[in-house]
Amino acid sequence: MVMGASGSKLEKALGDQFPEGERYFGLENFGNTCYCNSVLQALYFCIPFREQLLEYYANNKNPGDAEENLLTCLADLFMQISQAKKKTGVIAPKRFVQRVKKQNELFRSYMHQDAHEFLNFLLNELVDILEKESSAAKDSPQSSPEKAPNGPVQHLANGVKKEPPVTLVHKNFQGILTNETRCLRCETVTARDETFLDLSVDIEQNSSITSCLKNFCSTETLNAEDKFFCDKCCSLQEAQKRMKIKKAPHILVIHLKRFKYIEQLGRYKKLSYRVVFPMELKLSNTSDDVDTEYSLFAVVVHVGSGPNHGHYVSLVKSHNHWLFFDDENVEMVEEQTLQTFFGSSHEYSGNTDHGYILFYEGLGGKS
């Protein structure tokens, strides 16, 4: 059987180093679905997520269940790739793309779509499906909560209110940010926790991911029109506000805000700034002051000079090799190739291929 040109080339390039049991498949593009393909490749090579999704699917797949959703379509696609007889080739993610368009009209048009919006939509949709399934399982007759005069109560051993279930999306991608505000009059600190599945960071010319994260966690002063209402002083006061990463996620996803709204132009502009992303990243802005170490394993790249047109590709690390996925095409690349996607030091450069979403895996093993 004759392989696709890029497939056979890839097999030749890897030779006997082709990882046992691994599959490298390109994904067919249905007109404008590169935003979807690039994100799917990054998620497929997020190994703990892939394994947990396939395991969940194997354990919960009910042949009598006709209901198809985004979770089953994604798991089906991952299953198709992982169980393919050939090591390389092309798969058409048709059912998955149809489901995405059915679920969200934003992705129905043939216009250029945003890969970060798609990633956000997909992860949140998976969370909704998993949480609904989990609560449906709990509400089955065997496990109904005891009745009390004022409605059902759910007890936990220590009397704490029941938390929503921790899904495989949360296990891998969820971190916690603490938003701290210190009143400059009475020094009272108000802290509010919020969860995140990815961090969207502002970028500057000739900077690095480390400096972008430092800015993300830097202290800002609230004064003049932006004063903070302090509950202790019962009035608006000057205050200092900062973000801290309270709990670092196992998979840290960083979205570089390359599309900026320019008031004078009345439209978005793409920032081609050079932002260096390291192979190994230390996250030191955490509340517990424990440095969390991460290793880069995927980059979604936006190719093009503006926000409303262009193309997405992804680079993925698998078994110590870097691979370049461009829809149907897959090829091996050297690690130093990633440096060509940092961005441009000056605005009018011919290079329009820029790192847009970065995926880092925690080195502490599976949490």
Side-chain angles (χ1 to χ4, degrees):
M1 210 174 227
V2 182
M3 277 297 310
S6 80
S8 51
K9 210 162 131 190
L10 181 64
E11 284 189 53
K12 272 198 196 99
L14 279 162
D16 53 10
Q17 285 190 303
F18 203 105
E20 185 65 41
E22 195 53 274
R23 298 287 178 266
Y24 299 129
F25 274 73
L27 296 172
E28 195 181 314
N29 187 333
F30 299 103
N32 70 329
T33 53
C34 57
Y35 68 91
C36 171
N37 290 348
S38 57
V39 167
L40 288 175
Q41 296 290 10
L43 289 177
Y44 184 78
F45 289 97
C46 175
I47 306 301
F49 174 72
R50 182 211 301 183
E51 286 175 351
Q52 287 163 36
L53 179 65
L54 290 174
E55 185 187 347
Y56 179 88
Y57 187 57
N59 294 338
N60 293 276
K61 193 178 180 196
N62 180 351
D65 266 1
E67 178 142 18
E68 172 187 277
N69 58 37
L70 214 50
L71 176 77
T72 60
C73 290
L74 181 66
D76 251 357
L77 177 64
F78 279 16
M79 188 82 87
Q80 244 185 306
I81 299 170
S82 67
Q83 296 190 346
K85 287 192 167 63
K86 296 178 188 172
K87 293 178 179 179
T88 57
V90 178
I91 277 181
K94 198 167 184 179
R95 268 183 63 210
F96 179 79
V97 170
Q98 282 173 340
R99 191 74 219 175
V100 167
K101 291 184 175 188
K102 194 172 177 181
Q103 296 285 115
N104 191 328
E105 62 187 53
L106 182 73
F107 301 112
R108 275 177 217 163
S109 78
Y110 279 91
M111 282 169 61
H112 181 67
Q113 303 291 349
D114 187 293
H116 177 246
E117 279 180 15
F118 169 68
L119 173 65
N120 245 314
F121 160 71
L122 177 58
L123 292 181
N124 284 302
E125 192 66 29
L126 296 181
V127 166
D128 283 352
I129 294 165
L130 289 161
E131 284 183 344
K132 275 184 192 132
E133 288 186 4
S134 173
S135 63
K138 283 199 186 80
D139 290 345
S140 61
Q142 304 95 296
S143 59
S144 59
E146 83 182 57
K147 287 272 183 276
N150 58 352
V153 286
Q154 290 185 319
H155 294 300
L156 284 188
N158 54 1
V160 178
K161 266 193 202 156
K162 204 149 207 179
E163 290 292 309
V166 177
T167 69
L168 60 91
V169 175
H170 294 126
K171 264 182 214 162
N172 289 292
F173 299 100
Q174 184 172 276
I176 301 171
L177 286 173
T178 297
N179 197 333
E180 282 184 355
T181 312
R182 181 189 298 275
C183 170
L184 293 179
R185 179 169 177 249
C186 70
E187 291 289 307
T188 301
V189 176
T190 310
R192 197 180 77 245
D193 285 355
E194 50 192 81
T195 58
F196 66 90
L197 296 177
D198 68 353
L199 294 178
S200 285
V201 298
D202 289 307
I203 59 172
E204 289 174 357
Q205 180 56 289
N206 292 320
S207 60
S208 68
I209 285 301
T210 314
S211 65
C212 293
L213 288 169
K214 277 208 175 86
N215 289 342
F216 181 83
C217 296
S218 63
T219 303
E220 96 180 83
T221 302
L222 305 175
N223 52 22
E225 280 90 71
D226 292 329
K227 282 183 181 172
F228 165 75
F229 186 87
C230 174
D231 288 338
K232 197 166 181 192
C233 300
C234 289
S235 58
L236 289 169
Q237 294 295 336
E238 287 189 29
Q240 280 187 329
K241 179 182 158 188
R242 69 165 175 169
M243 283 286 206
K244 256 185 163 179
I245 294 167
K246 182 176 180 178
K247 180 183 171 288
H250 177 48
I251 305 291
L252 174 65
V253 181
I254 302 171
H255 159 236
L256 305 184
K257 289 158 106 173
R258 286 205 176 270
F259 302 115
K260 188 178 184 182
Y261 188 75
I262 310 292
E263 287 283 339
Q264 301 91 309
L265 300 174
R267 61 179 169 83
Y268 282 89
K269 174 183 187 246
K270 182 178 178 185
L271 305 175
S272 59
Y273 298 163
R274 180 177 165 84
V275 181
V276 174
F277 44 87
M279 295 299 125
E280 307 292 323
L281 177 71
K282 225 179 215 168
L283 201 60
S284 42
N285 311 68
T286 48
S287 307
D288 48 15
D289 288 327
V290 177
D291 283 357
T292 313
E293 299 208 16
Y294 286 94
S295 179
L296 184 72
F297 72 89
V299 182
V300 170
V301 170
H302 180 266
V303 180
S305 53
N308 302 319
H309 53 85
H311 184 53
Y312 286 101
V313 295
S314 50
L315 291 107
V316 165
K317 189 180 188 180
S318 168
H319 302 269
N320 292 322
H321 295 289
W322 278 94
L323 297 153
F324 177 75
F325 288 88
D326 178 356
D327 289 330
E328 294 88 347
N329 297 314
V330 188
E331 57 187 79
M332 245 179 96
V333 289
E334 295 297 324
E335 190 175 285
Q336 60 258 36
T337 309
L338 274 87
Q339 296 172 17
T340 61
F341 301 104
F342 289 165
S344 320
S345 301
H346 45 91
E347 196 172 346
Y348 301 103
S349 144
N351 175 15
T352 63
D353 308 6
H354 309 119
Y356 183 49
I357 312 171
L358 310 173
F359 293 75
Y360 282 93
E361 180 167 19
L363 293 174
K366 293 182 192 179
S367 50

